[in-house]
Amino acid sequence: MATNDMVEIRWHGRGGQGAKMACMLLADVAGLQGKFVQGFPEYGPERMGAPITAFNRISEKRCTIHSFIYNPDYVVVVDETLLDSVDVTGGLKENGAIIINTPGSPQEMRPRLRGWTGKVCTIDARRISEEILGSNRPNTPMLAAVVKVSGVLEPDRFLADIEESFKHKFASKPQLIKGNMETLKKSMEEVQAG
Protein backbone atom coordinates (compact mmCIF):
# COMPACT_ATOMS: atom_id res chain seq x y z
CA MET A 1 0.00 0.00 0.00
CA ALA A 2 1.37 3.41 -0.97
CA THR A 3 2.03 6.01 1.70
CA ASN A 4 1.49 9.77 1.73
CA ASP A 5 5.13 10.46 0.88
CA MET A 6 5.04 8.16 -2.17
CA VAL A 7 3.89 9.08 -5.66
CA GLU A 8 2.80 6.29 -7.98
CA ILE A 9 2.60 6.77 -11.74
CA ARG A 10 1.23 4.38 -14.35
CA TRP A 11 2.23 4.83 -18.01
CA HIS A 12 0.15 3.55 -20.95
CA GLY A 13 1.66 3.53 -24.42
CA ARG A 14 2.40 1.36 -27.41
CA GLY A 15 5.59 -0.52 -28.14
CA GLY A 16 8.08 1.78 -29.86
CA GLN A 17 6.75 5.08 -28.46
CA GLY A 18 9.26 5.27 -25.63
CA ALA A 19 6.90 5.03 -22.62
CA LYS A 20 9.26 2.56 -20.93
CA MET A 21 12.25 4.81 -21.64
CA ALA A 22 10.46 7.88 -20.23
CA CYS A 23 9.50 5.87 -17.14
CA MET A 24 13.12 4.82 -16.63
CA LEU A 25 14.44 8.37 -17.20
CA LEU A 26 12.04 9.69 -14.56
CA ALA A 27 13.33 7.04 -12.14
CA ASP A 28 16.96 7.92 -12.96
CA VAL A 29 16.51 11.63 -12.35
CA ALA A 30 14.50 11.10 -9.16
CA GLY A 31 17.25 8.78 -7.94
CA LEU A 32 19.88 11.44 -8.71
CA GLN A 33 17.89 13.77 -6.46
CA GLY A 34 18.16 11.36 -3.54
CA LYS A 35 14.69 9.87 -3.75
CA PHE A 36 13.88 6.19 -3.49
CA VAL A 37 12.59 5.04 -6.87
CA GLN A 38 11.20 2.18 -8.85
CA GLY A 39 10.76 2.19 -12.60
CA PHE A 40 9.63 -0.96 -14.37
CA PRO A 41 7.54 -2.12 -17.34
CA GLU A 42 4.86 -4.78 -17.40
CA TYR A 43 6.36 -7.46 -19.55
CA GLY A 44 4.27 -9.03 -22.23
CA PRO A 45 4.51 -9.28 -26.00
CA GLU A 46 7.17 -6.72 -26.89
CA ARG A 47 6.05 -6.02 -30.43
CA MET A 48 5.89 -2.64 -32.11
CA GLY A 49 2.48 -1.03 -31.61
CA ALA A 50 1.28 -3.42 -28.89
CA PRO A 51 -0.14 -1.78 -25.74
CA ILE A 52 2.42 -1.60 -22.93
CA THR A 53 2.28 -0.45 -19.33
CA ALA A 54 5.12 0.91 -17.20
CA PHE A 55 5.24 2.07 -13.59
CA ASN A 56 7.08 4.53 -11.33
CA ARG A 57 7.18 4.77 -7.56
CA ILE A 58 8.96 7.80 -6.13
CA SER A 59 9.32 8.23 -2.40
CA GLU A 60 11.24 10.00 0.33
CA LYS A 61 11.52 6.67 2.20
CA ARG A 62 12.61 3.21 1.15
CA CYS A 63 9.81 1.39 -0.65
CA THR A 64 9.10 -2.24 0.21
CA ILE A 65 6.24 -2.66 -2.27
CA HIS A 66 7.10 -4.87 -5.24
CA SER A 67 3.96 -5.13 -7.36
CA PHE A 68 2.23 -3.39 -10.21
CA ILE A 69 0.51 -0.11 -9.38
CA TYR A 70 -3.23 -0.56 -9.09
CA ASN A 71 -4.20 2.83 -7.60
CA PRO A 72 -1.89 5.40 -9.19
CA ASP A 73 -1.72 9.07 -8.31
CA TYR A 74 -1.07 9.90 -11.98
CA VAL A 75 -1.71 8.15 -15.27
CA VAL A 76 0.22 9.05 -18.41
CA VAL A 77 -1.33 8.10 -21.76
CA VAL A 78 1.28 8.30 -24.51
CA ASP A 79 -1.12 7.14 -27.26
CA GLU A 80 -4.62 8.66 -27.34
CA THR A 81 -6.03 5.62 -29.20
CA LEU A 82 -5.63 3.58 -26.01
CA LEU A 83 -8.53 5.54 -24.49
CA ASP A 84 -10.87 3.43 -26.65
CA SER A 85 -9.43 0.02 -25.74
CA VAL A 86 -7.82 0.23 -22.27
CA ASP A 87 -9.41 1.39 -19.01
CA VAL A 88 -6.64 3.92 -18.39
CA THR A 89 -8.47 5.55 -15.46
CA GLY A 90 -8.99 2.22 -13.68
CA GLY A 91 -7.93 2.65 -10.05
CA LEU A 92 -6.76 6.26 -10.59
CA LYS A 93 -7.09 8.12 -7.29
CA GLU A 94 -9.86 10.75 -7.17
CA ASN A 95 -7.38 13.49 -6.32
CA GLY A 96 -4.98 12.31 -9.03
CA ALA A 97 -4.67 13.36 -12.65
CA ILE A 98 -4.50 11.84 -16.10
CA ILE A 99 -2.11 13.29 -18.70
CA ILE A 100 -2.97 12.52 -22.32
CA ASN A 101 -0.95 13.00 -25.51
CA THR A 102 -3.51 14.65 -27.79
CA PRO A 103 -4.06 17.85 -29.75
CA GLY A 104 -7.46 18.06 -28.00
CA SER A 105 -8.27 20.04 -24.89
CA PRO A 106 -8.90 18.49 -21.45
CA GLN A 107 -12.61 19.23 -21.93
CA GLU A 108 -12.64 17.37 -25.27
CA MET A 109 -11.01 14.31 -23.68
CA ARG A 110 -13.26 14.05 -20.63
CA PRO A 111 -16.17 12.22 -22.40
CA ARG A 112 -13.73 9.47 -23.43
CA LEU A 113 -12.62 8.73 -19.85
CA ARG A 114 -15.42 6.38 -18.69
CA GLY A 115 -16.87 8.79 -16.14
CA TRP A 116 -13.56 10.01 -14.68
CA THR A 117 -14.30 13.30 -12.88
CA GLY A 118 -10.80 14.21 -11.68
CA LYS A 119 -8.12 16.42 -13.21
CA VAL A 120 -7.47 15.95 -16.93
CA CYS A 121 -4.32 17.33 -18.55
CA THR A 122 -3.39 17.29 -22.22
CA ILE A 123 -0.33 17.99 -24.31
CA ASP A 124 0.26 17.69 -28.05
CA ALA A 125 3.45 15.65 -27.68
CA ARG A 126 3.45 14.61 -31.32
CA ARG A 127 3.41 18.19 -32.62
CA ILE A 128 6.08 19.36 -30.19
CA SER A 129 8.43 16.46 -30.95
CA GLU A 130 7.93 16.77 -34.71
CA GLU A 131 8.56 20.53 -34.62
CA ILE A 132 11.73 20.29 -32.52
CA LEU A 133 13.12 16.78 -33.05
CA GLY A 134 11.86 16.23 -36.59
CA SER A 135 9.99 13.02 -35.78
CA ASN A 136 7.15 11.69 -33.64
CA ARG A 137 8.89 10.89 -30.32
CA PRO A 138 6.19 11.52 -27.72
CA ASN A 139 8.10 10.16 -24.73
CA THR A 140 10.19 13.30 -24.08
CA PRO A 141 7.21 15.69 -24.03
CA MET A 142 5.20 13.26 -21.89
CA LEU A 143 8.06 13.01 -19.40
CA ALA A 144 8.11 16.80 -19.04
CA ALA A 145 4.33 16.91 -18.70
CA VAL A 146 4.28 14.37 -15.85
CA VAL A 147 6.98 16.30 -13.97
CA LYS A 148 5.05 19.56 -14.41
CA VAL A 149 1.62 18.14 -13.49
CA SER A 150 2.68 15.89 -10.62
CA GLY A 151 5.19 18.21 -8.95
CA VAL A 152 7.07 15.05 -7.94
CA LEU A 153 10.32 16.81 -8.93
CA GLU A 154 11.10 20.52 -8.95
CA PRO A 155 11.07 21.48 -12.67
CA ASP A 156 14.29 23.53 -12.81
CA ARG A 157 16.29 20.92 -10.93
CA PHE A 158 14.74 18.18 -13.09
CA LEU A 159 15.89 19.99 -16.24
CA ALA A 160 19.43 20.41 -14.89
CA ASP A 161 19.68 16.79 -13.78
CA ILE A 162 18.24 15.32 -16.97
CA GLU A 163 20.63 17.40 -19.06
CA GLU A 164 23.49 15.75 -17.16
CA SER A 165 21.90 12.36 -17.81
CA PHE A 166 21.57 13.19 -21.53
CA LYS A 167 25.27 14.14 -21.68
CA HIS A 168 26.12 10.55 -20.74
CA LYS A 169 23.33 8.92 -22.75
CA PHE A 170 24.09 10.92 -25.92
CA ALA A 171 27.87 11.23 -25.48
CA SER A 172 28.41 10.16 -29.09
CA LYS A 173 25.49 12.28 -30.38
CA PRO A 174 25.70 15.64 -28.57
CA GLN A 175 23.38 17.26 -31.14
CA LEU A 176 20.48 15.32 -29.59
CA ILE A 177 20.93 17.01 -26.21
CA LYS A 178 19.88 20.48 -27.37
CA GLY A 179 16.73 19.21 -29.14
CA ASN A 180 15.63 17.07 -26.22
CA MET A 181 16.17 19.89 -23.73
CA GLU A 182 14.20 22.30 -25.91
CA THR A 183 11.42 19.71 -26.18
CA LEU A 184 11.26 19.29 -22.40
CA LYS A 185 11.07 23.04 -21.77
CA LYS A 186 8.41 23.66 -24.42
CA SER A 187 6.34 20.75 -23.12
CA MET A 188 6.36 22.09 -19.57
CA GLU A 189 5.03 25.40 -20.92
CA GLU A 190 2.32 23.87 -23.11
CA VAL A 191 0.69 21.21 -20.91
CA GLN A 192 -2.97 22.14 -20.29
CA ALA A 193 -5.00 21.30 -17.20
CA GLY A 194 -8.77 21.16 -17.00
Side-chain angles (χ1 to χ4, degrees):
M1 176 174 217
T3 61
N4 289 338
D5 66 343
M6 181 184 302
V7 173
E8 294 183 314
I9 301 166
R10 188 174 66 214
W11 297 75
H12 294 278
R14 292 190 182 276
Q17 293 179 323
K20 175 186 167 189
M21 178 179 281
C23 170
M24 301 308 282
L25 277 170
L26 180 60
D28 287 346
V29 174
L32 287 173
Q33 294 186 13
K35 300 196 185 279
F36 291 94
V37 297
Q38 293 179 359
F40 56 98
E42 177 180 9
Y43 286 101
E46 294 287 321
R47 66 182 195 279
M48 189 72 90
I52 65 103
T53 309
F55 308 91
N56 285 114
R57 283 192 180 95
I58 302 172
S59 178
E60 298 296 329
K61 298 178 183 171
R62 183 172 299 281
C63 176
T64 58
I65 304 168
H66 300 285
S67 67
F68 292 142
I69 294 172
Y70 300 102
N71 299 107
D73 298 287
Y74 300 94
V75 168
V76 183
V77 182
V78 181
D79 188 315
E80 176 184 356
T81 65
L82 292 170
L83 298 177
D84 302 321
S85 58
V86 175
D87 183 10
V88 296
T89 58
L92 179 56
K93 292 178 182 170
E94 287 182 24
N95 61 346
I98 185 167
I99 307 157
I100 306 166
N101 171 16
T102 178
S105 70
Q107 295 74 22
E108 291 171 316
M109 292 298 104
R110 192 169 294 283
R112 297 177 64 190
L113 298 177
R114 302 178 188 203
W116 168 251
T117 59
K119 186 175 182 181
V120 177
C121 302
T122 60
I123 183 165
D124 193 347
R126 179 182 187 134
R127 179 187 52 77
I128 293 169
S129 65
E130 286 178 347
E131 284 176 3
I132 298 172
L133 301 173
S135 61
N136 183 13
R137 297 178 186 251
N139 60 335
T140 303
M142 296 308 290
L143 173 59
V146 77
V147 168
K148 176 74 174 191
V149 171
S150 71
V152 69
L153 301 173
E154 192 276 315
D156 289 336
R157 184 163 178 207
F158 163 76
L159 290 170
D161 287 345
I162 201 161
E163 186 169 18
E164 284 303 311
S165 178
F166 283 163
K167 286 178 183 174
H168 296 289
K169 180 178 173 57
F170 300 128
S172 64
K173 300 177 184 176
Q175 70 279 10
L176 294 178
I177 298 169
K178 181 180 179 197
N180 276 285
M181 292 307 298
E182 188 178 333
T183 300
L184 289 166
K185 290 172 186 171
K186 186 174 183 75
S187 300
M188 285 186 173
E189 293 169 3
E190 290 197 17
V191 67
Q192 301 176 53

